[in-house]
Amino acid sequence: MLHIWRDADRYRGGDPAAGIETRHAFSFSGFYDPSNTRFGLLVACNEEHLAPGAGFAEHPHADVEIVSWVVEGELTHEDSAGRRVTVRPGDVQRLSAGRGIRHVERNAGSEPLRFVQMWLVPGVFGGEAEYEVVRGIADGTPYALARADAVLHVRRLGAGERTAVPDAPWVYVHVVRGGLSLGGESLEAGDAARIGGAKGLEASGTGAGAEALVWEMHSEPSYG
């Protein structure tokens, strides 16, 4: 199964008057489609655009893995554990909410901020909240979520360069920038592919090349 979800089909949200524009890939907040609530463990893939000074006020999370990838600008994270961290392009930020944590996300810089935020359901609920930033993650370096049966691969491909798509029951490919060719389909920035159970699939960079976030998932949410 290969299903392409185009950038133009994402649900538009946020608060443009407050400098926040959001593009949702799944049902989120006031947008609900019962046929589009998750894929594997992934329940949100939001592309956020924040103007300088804009941000999300303090709010709570529990029992969710939140992974953020900055495309341009700087993301400032503050949380109820006393952390204040600036996340830049090339960094992977993970917030494992555990039994509960509160945080603030904002653009404290002078340039526009664009980042992709992805939420996954953990395999075990509860526990202490955890936070981590990996600076300047290298191309192809796998980033495993200890609390979820999932691995994130960051791939940067020049025109004509190829990479294997992980063989896993659920694979989600989000194109951050540039273009990709995948399974006979052309994908551009903001497009995503949902791949179920495919084997031996390859992706290649097109045009000026691509940067893509690739989730490899081996289970579905369990609430029992």
Side-chain angles (χ1 to χ4, degrees), residues 64-86:
V64 66
E65 301 290 297
I66 302 174
V67 178
S68 301
W69 178 262
V70 176
V71 182
E72 58 187 20
E74 296 183 344
L75 170 64
T76 297
H77 164 95
E78 299 176 61
D79 61 41
S80 52
R83 285 177 285 256
R84 186 180 190 276
V85 182
T86 299

Side-chain angles (χ1 to χ4, degrees), residues 41 121-123 125 220-224:
L41 296 169
V121 178
F125 293 164
E220 290 185 293
S222 174
Y223 302 99

Side-chain angles (χ1 to χ4, degrees), residues 6-158:
R6 300 294 179 187
D7 176 65
D9 296 326
R10 287 171 171 261
Y11 313 122
R12 264 45 178 183
D15 184 355
I20 302 172
E21 295 187 16
T22 306
R23 299 172 184 175
H24 305 292
F26 297 92
S27 295
F28 197 92
S29 186
F31 299 91
Y32 179 67
D33 176 353
S35 67
N36 185 34
T37 58
R38 64 172 176 83
F39 181 74
L41 296 169
L42 193 65
V43 295
C45 181
N46 300 334
E47 186 170 297
E48 305 286 0
H49 297 247
L50 271 61
F56 301 98
E58 184 175 88
H59 56 280
H61 289 287
D63 292 323
V64 66
E65 301 290 297
I66 302 174
V67 178
S68 301
W69 178 262
V70 176
V71 182
E72 58 187 20
E74 296 183 344
L75 170 64
T76 297
H77 164 95
E78 299 176 61
D79 61 41
S80 52
R83 285 177 285 256
R84 186 180 190 276
V85 182
T86 299
V87 187
R88 300 178 176 86
D91 299 341
V92 170
Q93 175 184 256
R94 171 182 61 88
L95 177 63
S96 297
R99 67 173 61 93
I101 193 168
R102 302 183 68 86
H103 75 151
V104 174
E105 296 168 302
R106 59 192 177 93
N107 180 4
S110 58
E111 300 296 328
L113 166 64
R114 179 161 67 101
F115 68 100
V116 180
Q117 187 168 94
M118 299 151 286
W119 296 11
L120 294 94
V121 178
V124 178
F125 293 164
E128 295 297 323
E130 295 180 356
Y131 180 83
E132 178 182 39
V133 174
V134 178
R135 301 291 186 186
I137 193 165
D139 175 57
T141 301
Y143 181 77
L145 293 187
R147 297 188 181 186
D149 197 9
V151 179
L152 174 65
H153 304 266
V154 179
R155 295 313 320 261
R156 303 177 182 95
L157 300 171

